[in-house]
Amino acid sequence: MTPVPHDQRIGFLKAVLNAIPSPVLVVDDDVRIVDLNHAAAQWLNAHPSAVLKLRGGEALHCIHASETPGGCGAAPACYDCVVRNSVREAYAGKQAIRKTYPMHLTIDGKTEDVNILVTTAPIDYNNERLVLLVLEDVSELVSLRRIVPMCAGCRKVRDDQEYWQRVDLYFKRHLDIDVSHSICPDCAARLYPELTEPRQPN
């Protein structure tokens, strides 16, 4: 079998990277972006060339990246950064798999809390070690794990903006889940007793 030329292998690997639906960054030991997939470019809302060579916190607009002149990695909070520490572990040959990390990002001039899952794995390429960094935004799932206020009378739920809405609309808005309607046996017996009670013999 004829070996695949180097340029074709690179093109194939880039196509595989772009097929991954989660944001994937290839970073160096300082979390500088060496490459990224289409999903990452969309998530960062930037053209790939605009974020190459930026550190992860700078590209993500982490609030700590602008706290000190040194940028991402220089602020006191950076020492506990799960992204940076997971990349460091990957450089030591270990993997981090779906570590939860609440990030504080600046989005459209406002600070927002974003919950992400961080996965890292080492890559050795051309005698250089790089790290594959996968980021999954699970903010909606985390918000749904909190206790959601529900009216004891009508069973509507209250969202973060203090609006009361039906449970099915809440699921649709926050998780894009459609709810179909059915009826449980208890309610069927209460509402439609003539259909659920056993017939008496004549």
Side-chain angles (χ1 to χ4, degrees):
M1 185 174 184
T2 309
V4 178
H6 179 74
D7 289 346
Q8 287 183 12
R9 282 199 314 265
I10 295 298
F12 172 74
L13 293 175
K14 185 68 176 175
V16 169
L17 189 67
N18 285 328
I20 300 170
S22 295
V24 180
L25 306 172
V26 180
V27 299
D28 67 10
D29 62 339
D30 195 24
V31 199
R32 287 191 186 275
I33 301 171
V34 175
D35 204 351
L36 67 162
N37 68 350
H38 289 322
Q42 288 177 336
W43 194 51
L44 296 172
N45 196 23
H47 190 274
S49 61
V51 295
L52 290 178
K53 297 187 180 177
L54 290 181
R55 296 184 189 104
E58 294 152 2
L60 289 164
H61 305 288
C62 173
I63 62 168
H64 302 298
S66 59
E67 286 180 347
T68 61
C72 174
C78 297
Y79 295 108
D80 296 322
C81 174
V82 170
V83 173
R84 187 162 282 279
N85 290 332
S86 296
V87 168
R88 189 176 295 118
E89 286 177 15
Y91 257 83
K94 301 175 184 174
Q95 281 187 327
I97 299 176
R98 304 188 94 200
K99 288 186 174 179
T100 306
Y101 184 48
M103 291 190 77
H104 310 292
L105 309 181
T106 303
I107 301 172
D108 296 328
K110 297 182 294 186
T111 301
E112 292 189 19
D113 293 334
V114 177
N115 292 280
I116 60 171
L117 296 179
V118 179
T119 300
T120 56
I123 305 172
D124 291 318
Y125 178 72
N126 275 355
N127 297 319
E128 181 183 9
R129 174 151 285 186
L130 297 169
V131 173
L132 194 71
L133 172 61
V134 183
L135 304 173
E136 299 170 77
D137 186 348
V138 292
S139 300
E140 289 181 345
L141 293 175
V142 169
S143 70
L144 283 176
R145 290 175 66 181
R146 297 175 304 178
I147 295 176
V148 178
M150 178 180 280
C151 175
C154 67
R155 302 288 192 221
K156 286 182 182 176
V157 294
R158 190 180 71 214
D159 65 14
D160 292 337
Q161 284 76 44
E162 299 293 321
Y163 291 116
W164 290 91
Q165 55 190 297
R166 295 188 334 237
V167 172
D168 56 335
L169 296 178
Y170 184 85
F171 280 170
K172 180 64 179 174
R173 180 177 173 201
H174 290 276
L175 276 183
D176 197 24
I177 293 175
D178 288 315
V179 177
S180 64
H181 292 91
S182 186
I183 190 162
C184 74
D186 291 340
C187 288
R190 182 172 51 83
L191 297 171
Y192 307 104
E194 69 281 3
L195 299 176
T196 56
E197 289 177 357
R199 292 189 176 186
Q200 299 297 324
N202 292 335

